[in-house]
Amino acid sequence: MTFVVTENCIKCKFTDCVDVCPVDCFHEGPNFLVIDPEECIDCTLCEPECPAEAIFAEDELPEGQEHFIALNAELAENWPVISEVKDGLEDADEWNGKPNKIELLEK
Ligand code: SF4
Ligand code: F3S
């Protein structure tokens, strides 16, 4: 199993999740983070840390977010590891909870 970053991370990228991951499995893109499913050890620590509630176990994904399993795996192969917390994106609080952010994902 793995944990998965879903749509509400897009344009927020608070990075609190990175601080608790014991195996550095988060990878960073311009406005989104993903989890490498090959590295995640299912420790559950990141899930409650995300202010945007964007992280779920792969078998507990909200309806409509299932395609983020493949997207996390795909993007983790191309994006660099992030292991230190940084400031969230500008206007992150305003974007938290907005619908249809998938169209704004920058790869
Ligand atoms: Fe990292 Fe644990 Fe979250 Fe997996 S569940 S991404 S190992 S903090
Ligand atoms: Fe994204 Fe939440 Fe981490 S917004 S960067 S999954 S803390």
Side-chain angles (χ1 to χ4, degrees), residues 1-37:
M1 219 197 32
T2 181
F3 278 64
V4 178
V5 184
T6 63
E7 187 167 9
N8 201 34
C9 175
I10 297 169
K11 288 191 77 70
C12 291
K13 205 168 83 168
F14 288 111
T15 78
D16 300 57
C17 52
V18 169
D19 201 29
V20 296
C21 182
V23 291
D24 291 348
C25 54
F26 284 92
H27 293 242
E28 182 183 22
N31 65 1
F32 185 50
L33 252 57
V34 292
I35 292 170
D36 183 346

Side-chain angles (χ1 to χ4, degrees), residues 45-80:
L45 291 176
C46 57
E47 184 179 2
E49 294 302 318
C50 176
E53 298 182 3
I55 302 175
F56 296 88
E58 69 176 335
D59 61 355
E60 292 177 353
L61 284 165
E63 202 177 331
Q65 299 288 297
E66 296 86 354
H67 60 292
F68 278 88
I69 296 174
L71 196 57
N72 275 239
E74 174 197 328
L75 296 175
E77 287 187 9
N78 301 327
W79 286 351

Side-chain angles (χ1 to χ4, degrees), residues 7 98-104:
E7 187 167 9
K98 289 248 168 78
N100 304 321
K101 291 198 281 182
I102 187 68
E103 298 160 9
L104 304 170

Side-chain angles (χ1 to χ4, degrees), residues 74-105:
E74 174 197 328
L75 296 175
E77 287 187 9
N78 301 327
W79 286 351
V81 169
I82 172 173
S83 53
E84 291 189 7
V85 174
K86 55 168 78 170
D87 288 341
L89 294 176
E90 200 181 339
D91 300 327
D93 288 331
E94 285 175 35
W95 283 101
N96 189 357
K98 289 248 168 78
N100 304 321
K101 291 198 281 182
I102 187 68
E103 298 160 9
L104 304 170
L105 175 62

